[in-house]
C-alpha cells in the first residue's frame, strides 16, 4: 500500500495548531513535551538531508503518543471544564489520535532520506546486516561455532 504524499510542514502545522489549542486545557508537561518535539520537526524541515533530525522527530512523536495518553488520562476532568477547556481537551485528544498516522508519514520520509529499517527481524532468519568493517578472522568458518576450546584440541589451563 502506497502512502499519499504529505509534506512535513503540513504535519508540523497541524500538530502545532492542535497542541496550541490543547494547551487551553492542559498545562505544564503537555506543552513542554509537544513543543519540544515540534522544534525537532522544524529542525527536520530546515535540514532536508539529515537523517538524525527526522529520526529524532520520529522518535519524539512516538514518545509523545505515550506521554499524551498519560497526561490526558491524569489531568482530564469529567466535570468542571468550561466549554473552552473542553474544546482544548478535544483538540489535544484529536492531536493524539493523529500522531500514529503522522508517525507513518514521517517514517516514510525517514526511509526516503536514506534511513534504515528500525525494526530488524534477524532472529527469524539469516542476518542480512553488513558491516563497514572487515573481519580479521580466517575466511573459513569453524566446523562447530558453538564448541568450546576443548572441541578444537586445546586443553583447558588449570590455575
Amino acid at each position: 500500500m502506497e502512502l499519499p504524499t504529505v509534506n512535513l510542514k503540513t504535519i508540523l502545522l497541524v500538530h502545532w495548531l492542535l497542541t496550541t489549542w490543547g494547551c487551553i486545557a492542559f498545562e505544564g508537561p503537555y506543552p513542554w513535551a509537544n513543543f519540544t518535539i515540534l522544534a525537532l520537526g522544524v529542525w527536520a524541515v530546515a535540514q532536508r538531508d539529515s537523517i538524525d533530525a527526522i529520526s529524532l522527530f520520529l522518535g519524539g512523536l512516538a514518545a509523545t503518543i505515550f506521554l499524551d495518553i498519560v497526561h490526558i488520562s491524569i489531568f482530564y476532568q469529567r466535570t468542571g471544564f468550561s466549554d473552552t477547556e473542553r474544546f482544548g481537551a478535544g483538540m489535544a485528544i484529536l492531536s493524539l489520535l493523529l500522531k500514529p498516522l503522522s508517525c507513518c508519514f514521517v517514517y516514510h520520509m525517514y526511509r526516503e532520506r536514506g534511513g534504515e529499517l528500525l525494526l530488524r527481524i534477524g532472529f527469524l532468519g539469516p542476518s542480512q546486516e553488513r558491516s563497514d568493517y572487515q573481519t580479521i578472522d580466517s575466511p573459513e568458518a569453524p566446523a562447530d561455532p558453538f564448541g568450546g576450546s576443548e572441541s578444537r584440541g586445546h586443553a583447558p589451563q588449570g590455575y
Side-chain angles (χ1 to χ4, degrees), residues 21-41:
W21 283 336
C23 290
I24 294 171
F26 302 110
E27 51 191 37
Y30 178 81
W32 276 104
N34 284 287
F35 286 128
T36 301
I37 300 311
L38 291 175
L40 289 174

Side-chain angles (χ1 to χ4, degrees), residues 73-95:
S73 64
I74 290 174
F75 294 106
Y76 183 79
Q77 302 172 7
R78 289 182 174 224
T79 59
F81 264 0
S82 67
D83 290 340
T84 306
E85 291 171 326
R86 264 199 317 268
F87 171 78
M91 294 301 107
I93 292 169
L94 180 60
S95 175

Side-chain angles (χ1 to χ4, degrees), residues 133-139:
Y133 298 102
Q134 195 173 30
T135 61
I136 59 172
D137 293 340
S138 65

Side-chain angles (χ1 to χ4, degrees), residues 2-23:
E2 184 69 27
L3 289 174
T5 304
V6 176
N7 192 347
L8 186 58
K9 292 176 187 176
T10 306
I11 293 172
L12 284 173
L13 179 66
V14 167
H15 283 290
W16 175 79
L17 188 62
L18 293 174
T19 299
T20 303
W21 283 336
C23 290

Side-chain angles (χ1 to χ4, degrees), residues 55-72:
S55 65
L56 283 173
F57 181 55
L58 176 60
L61 270 179
T64 56
I65 291 172
F66 173 73
L67 292 173
D68 287 356
I69 289 170
V70 170
H71 192 85
I72 290 171

Side-chain angles (χ1 to χ4, degrees), residues 92-109:
I93 292 169
L94 180 60
S95 175
L96 174 62
L97 292 174
L98 288 176
K99 279 185 184 179
L101 182 63
S102 297
C103 282
C104 290
F105 288 127
V106 172
Y107 180 70
H108 184 70
M109 292 173 205

